[in-house]
Amino acid sequence: MNRFDYVRAGSVAEALAAGAAPGAAYLAAGTNLLDLMKGGLATPRILVDVTRIPGLSAIETLSDGSTRIGALVRNSDLAHDPGFAARYPAVAEALLSGASAQLRNAATTGGNLMQRTRCPYFYDPASACNKREAGAGCAAIGGETRLHAVLGFTETCIAVQPSDLCVPLAALDAAVEIEGPQGARSVPLTDFHRLPGDAPERDTVLEPGALIVAVRLPPAAADFAAHARYLKVRDRTSYAFALVSAAAMLRLDGGRIGEARIALGGLALKPWRANGAERLLAGREPDAAAFREAAEAALDGARPSGEANAFKIELARRVVARALRLALAGTPERVPALPASPFAHPRAARQDIAAQAGATAHA
């Protein structure tokens, strides 16, 4: 680990002043940043500790009905907040499906948005990586690509964004509140993370020295509370990043779908909002045929980025269709301890899900 100076900020203004220095990085929980520093992948000259800044650890319901989540709210505190989980159950489910209990107790909302890709070539200093060093090339292309992108990638980078939390936040039209040298601004979460384009070294639109202070959910986000699920498929039941994940939410109106929200994770360098699939479902009866069509539309344009990840496209279709069926069945009274585990469901429900998945696979 390189030598660095440490600054503890007592206010947002102090943090911005210290963060404006070249080579400065903000430190909250450090669950990703410290790993990057230990591996020599991040070499900040100044660490600006923002954990003591007052006012950034609150979950607030504002007068317009929106919900404001401070950037320093811990993942576990947010997931277990009864009022928040009741209004945004898919967000709570996503939080509880991520990492380990110990990490959830430390990780913060703002830090979660800033997670860097878990691409193994990014973490290997001996591998060429445009994300780590602009213009270096991408060793992942032509390499082991099982976990890599099938949407939105370019020849410069095929990595994926790893956050669970960001997927339902994208579906719910969350916005990121940012304080920076140029003042305050708000960015839709769907625009916050960047696709690689010709500058894959930039993960987000955050400018140097700017600081995330909160995430805000609009009042309409709570309209999906009765039919909202987050479904994550991964190689291990717990403590693994998503191969594919989906947030699916329905607002029913007279037995039909008034509005649908769908976002996917594990497929691109940003949470992938499936707007076309949402429009396709509006006004439809919520049945298996509609969900299969929506799943096809959600993966429109998907293509393998390597020999080993073509399976993710069909897997993602099935995850979307299944997440929609689960959402239609209704939000469970209690978030399952292990949301993606088949053991989270009663035997009869598992058999029903398996039968429906088989029908989808053979349709």
Side-chain angles (χ1 to χ4, degrees):
M1 184 180 289
N2 67 303
R3 294 177 60 86
F4 58 87
D5 293 330
Y6 172 85
V7 176
R8 178 179 291 171
S11 66
V12 170
E14 288 183 13
L16 294 178
Y26 293 117
L27 173 69
T31 54
N32 188 205
L33 177 60
L34 296 186
D35 279 346
L36 295 171
M37 292 174 65
K38 291 174 184 175
L41 305 177
T43 56
R45 294 170 56 191
I46 304 171
L47 273 188
V48 183
D49 185 342
V50 298
T51 58
R52 310 300 174 91
I53 297 177
L56 301 187
S57 301
I59 306 168
E60 305 170 90
T61 300
L62 305 184
S63 58
D64 65 353
S66 62
T67 296
R68 188 175 188 270
I69 309 161
L72 295 178
V73 173
R74 306 290 179 186
N75 284 9
S76 54
D77 291 338
L78 186 61
H80 292 293
D81 183 274
F84 182 86
R87 299 187 78 194
Y88 314 107
V91 180
E93 195 167 17
L95 286 165
L96 293 175
S97 72
S100 64
Q102 292 90 342
L103 285 168
R104 291 194 294 270
N105 287 339
T108 64
T109 298
N112 198 297
L113 271 56
M114 295 299 293
Q115 287 186 85
R116 305 215 68 185
T117 180
R118 259 61 180 183
C119 172
Y121 297 96
F122 169 74
Y123 279 87
D124 178 6
S127 295
C129 178
N130 286 321
K131 184 168 283 301
R132 199 176 58 241
E133 180 183 351
C138 176
I141 297 175
E144 172 50 59
T145 56
R146 183 171 181 272
L147 303 178
H148 288 78
V150 296
L151 287 165
F153 64 88
T154 68
E155 68 277 6
T156 62
C157 182
I158 59 173
V160 299
Q161 210 274 338
S163 171
D164 291 296
L165 170 63
C166 290
V167 179
L169 289 180
L172 292 172
D173 288 337
V176 185
E177 294 183 13
I178 297 167
E179 294 280 354
Q182 308 304 319
R185 65 174 179 144
S186 178
V187 177
L189 185 75
T190 48
D191 296 334
F192 181 75
H193 297 97
R194 295 180 73 259
L195 292 177
D198 57 2
E201 72 277 9
R202 292 191 62 199
D203 289 350
T204 72
V205 298
L206 204 64
E207 298 296 332
L211 177 68
I212 298 171
V213 295
V215 172
R216 186 180 295 210
L217 286 165
D223 293 346
F224 299 90
H227 298 277
R229 294 304 301 267
Y230 178 74
L231 181 61
K232 176 179 179 178
V233 176
R234 48 192 160 179
D235 285 332
R236 297 190 304 272
T237 301
S238 66
Y239 197 35
F241 294 98
L243 283 170
V244 174
S245 67
M249 304 164 198
L250 299 172
R251 181 175 56 77
L252 300 180
D253 184 8
R256 292 182 174 270
I257 299 171
E259 186 177 2
R261 300 286 182 89
I262 302 169
L264 297 104
L267 302 180
L269 257 175
K270 62 187 298 182
W272 196 265
R273 182 77 178 269
N275 298 110
E278 295 174 357
R279 289 192 293 270
L280 185 149
L281 287 173
R284 297 278 298 272
E285 291 186 11
D287 55 25
F291 293 162
R292 285 196 298 271
E293 290 178 37
E296 288 287 340
L299 274 297
D300 185 35
R303 59 187 174 95
S305 58
E307 295 182 358
N309 61 24
F311 79 99
K312 292 179 77 172
I313 299 171
E314 177 58 22
L315 176 62
R317 292 191 184 105
R318 298 187 189 198
V319 170
V320 170
R322 180 175 168 182
L324 285 166
R325 291 196 299 271
L326 291 171
L328 176 63
T331 304
E333 291 186 9
R334 298 185 62 182
V335 174
L338 297 170
S341 169
F343 302 105
H345 305 281
R347 180 182 298 275
R350 295 204 299 272
Q351 291 171 340
D352 181 55
I353 290 169
Q356 292 183 61
T360 300
H362 294 93

